[in-house]
Amino acid sequence: MYEDDEGFLYPVVDKEKCIDCGLCEIVCPCQNDSKKKRTNFLDIYAIKNKNEKIRMQSSSGGVFTLLAEEVIKKGGVVFGACFSDDWEVKHHYTESIEGLAAFRGSKYVQSYIGTSYQKVESFLKQGRIVMFTGTPCQVAALKRYLRREYDNLLTVDFICHGVPSPKIWRIYLNKAVTDYCDTQSSLTSSCKKCLQSVEFRSKIKSWKNYRYRMVFSKITKNGKEIMFAYSSLFSENVYMRMFLSGLILRPSCYECPSKAGKSGSDITIGDFWGVENVVPQFDDDKGISLLLMNNSRFMPLLSEVHSRFESLKLPVDIICKYNKSFLFSAKEPLERNRFFLLLYKGDDFFSFGQLVWKKNGKVNLISKVNRFCIWLKKLVS
Ligand SMILES: Cc1cc2nc3c(=O)[nH]c(=O)nc-3n(C[C@H](O)[C@H](O)[C@H](O)COP(=O)(O)OP(=O)(O)OC[C@H]3O[C@@H](n4cnc5c(N)ncnc54)[C@H](O)[C@@H]3O)c2cc1C
């Protein structure tokens, strides 16, 4: 797998070893998008994990941890995405409940899958229960890799906006760490090692108005260790703007062949956006998950953990009304080519990225409304 100029990995065929069997093209979902979109689920639930600490660490209602803990208790293995030591996002597995913490929280970067599919197969063949979590395309890829069904495999994907380039993440993080640490003048030289945590979806103040947050620890010139944080509203952070406007997504995300129930996952999870309109009494702005049961295979598992969550059964149309990412791929912004050209030329692509959000994103509308209110106030006074 080789990283292209945009920072995404693609397979390169070694022509010396290739026997021209064509299998890679047969299993490629982008070249064989045969399945139809599906909106017939067995059931849809709104779910809140009763463990407040876990829910606050999770991106929505903490449903991933509920399912994963049960799998671990049964002696199973859970695969998910976590940060590596150098803050890249990678797929990994855990066999312990403590190990699940690293998977909690959405990381808005395409995760490096490495040899995870081979490891999943090996655990399945040993008879272990395996829960594999990932993007719809990762679940679809695992299924195509395995080429047969396993009773002991639980696949959980999520409603997916798309995955950003690991290269853009790397550049952003280096810049953010340097810029931010340098403003702390009492500290010794800046470095990525002092970074303690990154949260793309900090709910410290609100789930709906979530924040991007980084926590650092540093040794001052006097030898004391101090902790400090950078935090900003998602709409004010350049990386989040570039992600949400669709600017830095993998090209295949603009025509995703795996979403809308096409990944073949057993369960799909996501954020219950719009909960305040549908069931306001259930909304405490700390995060509610959506859980879509795509088949009945793991119904008993959900029943077993019933005492550990609050839930409501929902009508099916909720999903298409408030979470368009379930059905539709992100739109490719017209400015995408220009953005990557600036990147290759070494120009200031971040400033350009900010503007695309202003043009495409919600902020535009909000700022228009604000401006209108200010204008109205002036007129009245
Ligand atoms: C790139 C991305 C885009 C998303 N887009 C949407 C969307 O448009 N609408 C929506 O409703 N929900 C979206 N989600 C899912 C949502 O953010 C929550 O993950 C989901 O609601 C589950 O919440 P939780 O509280 O149970 O999960 P958490 O405890 O936060 O669960 C995290 C789960 O996500 C997995 N994960 C985290 N980062 C990655 C990654 N980079 N690649 C693969 N797996 C990862 C972990 O392995 C774990 O299984 C997206 C998630 C990601 C990572």
Side-chain angles (χ1 to χ4, degrees):
M1 303 294 286
Y2 286 94
E3 194 175 284
D4 74 349
D5 291 342
E6 292 185 354
F8 297 104
L9 289 180
Y10 291 93
V12 174
V13 176
D14 181 342
K15 295 258 162 63
E16 297 274 297
K17 291 181 182 159
C18 176
I19 55 160
D20 240 345
C21 66
L23 251 184
C24 56
E25 284 174 8
I26 291 169
V27 297
C28 175
C30 290
Q31 292 184 42
N32 301 283
D33 181 11
S34 52
K35 284 189 187 163
K36 288 214 169 93
K37 287 185 179 180
R38 201 172 47 78
T39 46
N40 56 322
F41 319 102
L42 217 58
D43 279 317
I44 299 189
Y45 299 96
I47 292 197
K48 263 184 220 175
N49 192 322
K50 282 188 188 170
N51 184 323
E52 284 283 297
K53 201 174 154 202
I54 287 178
R55 184 151 72 109
M56 291 309 283
Q57 293 167 354
S58 310
S59 290
S60 56
V63 67
F64 155 73
T65 306
L66 273 174
L67 300 168
E69 280 181 352
E70 203 53 27
V71 168
I72 301 274
K73 280 182 192 160
K74 291 184 186 307
V77 188
V78 175
F79 283 75
C82 58
F83 286 112
S84 64
D85 291 344
D86 52 357
W87 298 99
E88 301 272 323
V89 179
K90 296 191 169 158
H91 253 71
H92 205 26
Y93 70 88
T94 184
E95 295 168 88
S96 74
I97 288 190
E98 300 74 51
L100 294 174
F103 298 155
R104 272 196 283 280
S106 296
K107 291 108 190 152
Y108 294 134
V109 186
Q110 183 170 32
S111 76
Y112 175 68
I113 206 79
T115 54
S116 293
Y117 301 145
Q118 288 94 318
K119 284 180 186 141
V120 168
E121 186 176 39
S122 157
F123 283 124
L124 289 172
K125 285 187 171 160
Q126 288 165 31
R128 303 274 297 270
I129 304 176
V130 176
M131 171 172 164
F132 179 88
T133 60
T135 59
C137 57
Q138 288 169 336
V139 168
L142 171 67
K143 297 219 146 198
R144 283 168 187 255
Y145 174 80
L146 294 172
R147 293 200 288 165
R148 55 159 280 212
E149 295 294 325
Y150 284 86
D151 287 344
N152 47 339
L153 173 64
L154 162 62
T155 49
V156 180
D157 63 355
F158 44 78
I159 300 172
C160 185
H161 173 64
V163 284
S165 152
K167 180 173 173 179
I168 302 290
W169 166 242
R170 222 174 287 141
I171 299 173
Y172 167 76
L173 193 68
N174 279 326
K175 184 172 160 27
V177 169
T178 312
D179 287 356
Y180 192 62
C181 281
D182 283 353
T183 61
Q184 310 291 315
S185 51
S186 60
L187 305 173
T188 52
S189 64
S190 58
C191 67
K192 234 162 57 172
K193 284 200 182 101
C194 63
L195 189 58
Q196 298 295 303
S197 65
V198 176
E199 282 173 279
F200 291 88
R201 297 273 303 266
S202 168
K203 299 188 209 164
I204 249 176
K205 298 208 167 138
S206 154
W207 164 54
K208 290 179 208 108
N209 283 309
Y210 59 90
R211 302 179 76 83
Y212 172 86
R213 191 163 186 268
M214 297 186 290
V215 175
F216 301 89
S217 97
K218 278 216 112 178
I219 308 292
T220 64
K221 285 170 187 160
N222 307 333
K224 257 193 188 169
E225 191 190 13
I226 57 156
M227 305 281 278
F228 57 98
Y230 159 86
S231 152
S232 74
L233 198 62
F234 70 94
S235 55
E236 286 163 8
N237 175 271
V238 62
Y239 185 83
M240 290 305 295
R241 282 178 171 211
M242 294 189 302
F243 164 58
L244 293 167
S245 65
L247 194 63
I248 54 174
L249 304 183
R250 190 177 175 102
S252 54
C253 296
Y254 304 118
E255 265 179 86
C256 175
S258 310
K259 63 167 60 216
K262 295 203 292 184
S263 69
S265 66
D266 298 300
I267 291 174
T268 302
I269 57 179
D271 286 280
F272 186 3
W273 300 130
V275 56
E276 67 279 16
N277 303 320
V278 184
V279 271
Q281 69 283 8
F282 202 60
D283 178 26
D284 55 7
D285 204 17
K286 291 182 184 169
I288 316 283
S289 294
L290 276 180
L291 184 146
L292 283 61
M293 272 288 175
N294 298 326
N295 57 50
S296 61
R297 289 181 61 226
F298 288 91
M299 267 313 209
L301 186 88
L302 198 64
S303 312
E304 281 170 43
V305 290
H306 193 255
S307 61
R308 291 196 275 127
F309 65 85
E310 285 176 56
S311 70
L312 287 175
K313 205 165 168 183
L314 300 169
V316 170
D317 61 336
I318 291 301
I319 179 79
C320 304
K321 191 165 177 194
Y322 293 104
N323 210 326
K324 300 240 179 305
S325 294
F326 174 75
L327 270 183
F328 303 107
S329 301
K331 279 207 177 104
E332 179 175 353
L334 293 172
E335 300 85 351
R336 193 177 184 280
N337 283 347
R338 169 117 190 262
F339 173 84
F340 278 100
L341 273 177
L342 290 173
L343 167 74
Y344 307 147
K345 283 203 272 175
D347 285 349
D348 183 8
F349 57 92
F350 283 129
S351 305
F352 183 71
Q354 295 257 43
L355 298 174
V356 176
W357 162 269
K358 273 196 189 149
K359 208 168 148 231
N360 298 345
K362 282 185 216 159
V363 163
N364 200 19
L365 185 68
I366 293 168
S367 64
K368 269 187 192 162
V369 171
N370 279 343
R371 254 183 274 155
F372 176 71
C373 292
I374 293 166
W375 175 79
L376 207 66
K377 255 190 196 168
K378 272 188 190 164
L379 198 75
V380 170
S381 65

